[in-house]
Each structure stands twice: as structure tokens, then as C-alpha cells.
Amino acid sequence: MLNQSELGNNALYHLSTRKKIQRSEFGKSVSLITNYKDEKNSNWYVWRVIRNLSALGHIEILEVNRKMSIYINNPCLVRLPSLGKPSYVLTGARYPNTLELIEKTAERYNIEIETIPNLTDGIAPDTIILKIDNALCSEFCDELSIRVLQGYPAYDIGKFAVSCGQILKNDFEPHALSAENFKTHFDLKKLKFVRGDTDELPALKEHFDDRTHERRYYLFNEQNECLNVQKDYARYAFLAIQKEKVLEYYPMDYRLSIPKSLPLPLLLERALTLCSGLCPKYDISEKNVIFQQVPREIGEMIFKKLSQSNNL
């Protein structure tokens, strides 16, 4: 029986041989890799695995016409925003012999390598961190044909991401959407979508198109005008309208906490994950997701992107 770490590595090995795979096909592969048979939660499980791989920088996700494609990134060393000797996390494609090959080459360069299991929801591959002097980094990467990203990609990715403020500057427009097609709405107390429509305004609602079977998410202002927004951003944009604060930053140990029921937009999730190179963990209550080793500057940027009141 393989442990969680081995399962995560196998999932990445499988993706690395494919370069591109449809979400439905990858779901079947995950079921075979993990022997996961709980059909009631299988969609959520596969979704969590995909989110983990994306946050760690191994894959890119592209959704067109309700079909999700997963692309594996080329191997790359991404610098972490840590103090001391420069540290890099290995992202992108990986094969069963990748770590052995890197370790053999690293011995000649006196490079320190640390392999850390990712114990999180779903499965995720091990995090491989290399500590390399800047003078040796380019030569080492050239020998292994691995690209290296200098600077602080965690900050650059977060800075590039769209903000809730930008989204809310778009015009809300009158609509003729049928109330019967609003299947769920976002509950501010529960911080999640619940069944049924609501008459309260402002509101965030899920609309289901009976003809195309497409789900869309609409923000409604006090005049009952609407704005179509991607689901992950829609939740935080709605919280911004309602001036609800859900993020917490702990400067003493550089942790940033979000409610488990409020997944971040993909790029912001990756920005926070690439602060440490590790998937987030859950607090004791298992109600909150904790990102580790988040510098204050990046924490401030995430708060601003999500229009959360900044108490850092």
C-alpha cells in the first residue's frame, strides 16, 4: 500500500508522461493511482489534487467550453522569498529518476537538497528544495537542462493576478435571468453556497443553464443589476461588497489563514504556495487553510488583491 507522498509523486509522474490531459481522463487516472472509490466525493478529491499540482507550479489549467485541459510545465527551479542562502523549489514535470539525477549532479556542486512530503487534502507530490549559491545556479541548471526563475516569482505572480477591485469596476447590467435557474446562493454566515435563491441584495448566485448545462456566477448590486464573475473571484468580490473580513495574517510566524470553504483564485493560491514551496495545511479546527512562510509584503499584496481590510 503506497503512502500519501508516494501517491502524489505517482500522479505527477503520470502527468509528466502526457504533457496534456483532459480533466475527465485525469480523474480516471487518479482513481487508478490511488484506488480511490468513494464516488460521492471523487469529484472533490480530483479537484483538490488538481489544485495542489497547480499551486505547486507543476501544471497549468485551461478551461474552454466547459472542458478543462491540464498541461504539464517544463522543469523549473523557482526561487523562494526566504532569507539566507538562496533556496529554490523544483516545479514542473518530474519522473521517477529525476530526484536521483539531481542529487548526483548536486554532489559535484556541493548543493544541499531537501525533500519534504506534502501532507494535505487530496494528494500532492513531495516538495524538492535546493539551496544554491547564485554563482553556481546557472551552471547547475544548464547541465540539467532546467530553467531557473530568479527574482521572487511568488511576488511577481501575485502582482500579475487580477484584483477584486478591478472586477468591481466593471459595469453591473440589467438582466432577464429566470429565478428558476438560480440553484444556489452564497451564504455570508456559512461562507459557502447553499441551495435555493434569495431576495436579499447585494447577492451572489449560481445560475444553471438548462440548455447548455453551464454554471455561471453572478454578483447582484442593490439595484438588482448583475455582473458575471469567475467563481473563485466571485466569492471574494462579494465579501468585498459586504465589507466582510475573512483573511488573517500572523506576522510572528509568517502564516496567512483563509477559511477552507473559500478557495483562492488560482494565481493567488500559487503565489502563496510558492512562498514556502509547500501545500497549505489545516489548523486544529480543520476549518482554516494555513499558508506558511508568507513575507509581510506578499501578505499585504494578497489582502489588497482580495479587497480585504489590511491589519498587517
Side-chain angles (χ1 to χ4, degrees), residues 2 6 10 25 32 35 54-55 64 71 80 147 156 184 188 207 218 237 240 259 267 290 299 302:
L2 298 178
E6 292 168 328
N10 284 347
E25 188 178 350
L32 292 173
N35 196 29
S54 171
V64 179
Y71 297 83
L80 302 176
R147 184 186 175 200
D156 296 336
T184 67
L188 276 177
H207 182 271
Y218 291 93
L267 286 182
I290 307 295
I302 298 297

Side-chain angles (χ1 to χ4, degrees), residues 211-272:
R211 184 176 58 84
T212 64
H213 290 189
E214 185 175 5
R215 298 180 188 275
R216 292 185 177 181
Y217 297 86
Y218 291 93
L219 287 170
F220 290 84
N221 61 18
E222 293 179 348
Q223 290 74 43
N224 198 30
E225 298 169 322
C226 70
L227 178 66
N228 181 209
V229 183
Q230 189 272 337
K231 185 178 181 180
D232 292 334
Y233 270 108
R235 285 182 285 236
Y236 284 96
F238 181 56
L239 291 168
I241 291 172
Q242 300 285 24
K243 295 183 171 54
E244 290 285 339
K245 178 179 176 298
V246 294
L247 301 188
E248 292 288 346
Y249 182 74
Y250 303 95
M252 294 297 292
D253 52 7
Y254 305 104
R255 294 181 301 131
L256 192 147
S257 169
I258 68 167
K260 182 179 179 180
S261 61
L262 297 174
L264 291 168
L266 285 174
L267 286 182
L268 296 182
E269 183 176 46
R270 180 177 294 183
L272 288 174

Side-chain angles (χ1 to χ4, degrees), residues 201-214:
L201 293 172
L204 168 58
K205 304 180 185 183
E206 177 196 47
H207 182 271
F208 181 76
D209 191 312
D210 292 325
R211 184 176 58 84
T212 64
H213 290 189
E214 185 175 5

Side-chain angles (χ1 to χ4, degrees), residues 16-159:
S16 298
T17 64
R18 299 297 302 273
K19 297 298 182 182
K20 174 187 175 183
I21 190 171
Q22 296 299 315
R23 190 264 184 215
S24 56
E25 188 178 350
F26 181 62
K28 295 176 183 177
S29 300
V30 168
S31 297
L32 292 173
I33 291 168
T34 65
N35 196 29
Y36 189 79
K37 298 178 180 179
D38 187 350
E39 294 183 6
K40 181 179 180 182
N41 294 315
S42 60
N43 283 335
W44 178 88
Y45 188 83
V46 172
W47 172 84
R48 188 61 263 174
V49 175
I50 292 171
R51 293 285 298 222
N52 288 341
L53 290 168
S54 171
L56 290 166
H58 295 299
I59 64 171
E60 303 298 338
I61 301 168
L62 179 64
E63 191 165 358
V64 179
N65 296 327
R66 297 185 291 114
K67 290 185 178 181
M68 179 187 291
S69 298
I70 301 169
Y71 297 83
I72 188 74
N73 287 324
N74 291 325
C76 181
L77 287 185
V78 175
R79 185 167 180 179
L80 302 176
S82 54
L83 298 175
K85 191 173 184 178
S87 295
Y88 297 81
V89 62
L90 178 65
T91 66
R94 190 186 302 174
Y95 304 94
N97 66 337
T98 297
L99 180 58
E100 180 183 0
L101 180 62
I102 290 176
E103 287 176 334
K104 286 183 178 180
T105 308
E107 286 180 4
R108 293 190 282 105
Y109 288 87
N110 195 28
I111 292 172
E112 179 184 345
I113 298 178
E114 184 178 10
T115 302
I116 308 171
N118 272 302
L119 304 178
T120 186
D121 249 5
I123 56 173
D126 292 341
T127 288
I128 300 175
I129 292 178
L130 299 85
K131 294 186 177 180
I132 313 175
D133 289 324
N134 286 330
L136 298 174
C137 191
S138 294
E139 184 180 348
F140 173 76
C141 290
D142 287 345
E143 184 169 339
L144 290 170
S145 298
I146 295 177
R147 184 186 175 200
V148 59
L149 285 184
Q150 296 287 358
Y152 296 110
Y155 183 84
D156 296 336
I157 290 169
K159 188 176 181 180

Side-chain angles (χ1 to χ4, degrees), residues 277-289:
L278 298 168
C279 286
K281 297 181 178 180
Y282 294 99
D283 63 8
I284 296 175
S285 70
E286 295 191 355
K287 293 181 179 180
N288 298 299
V289 180

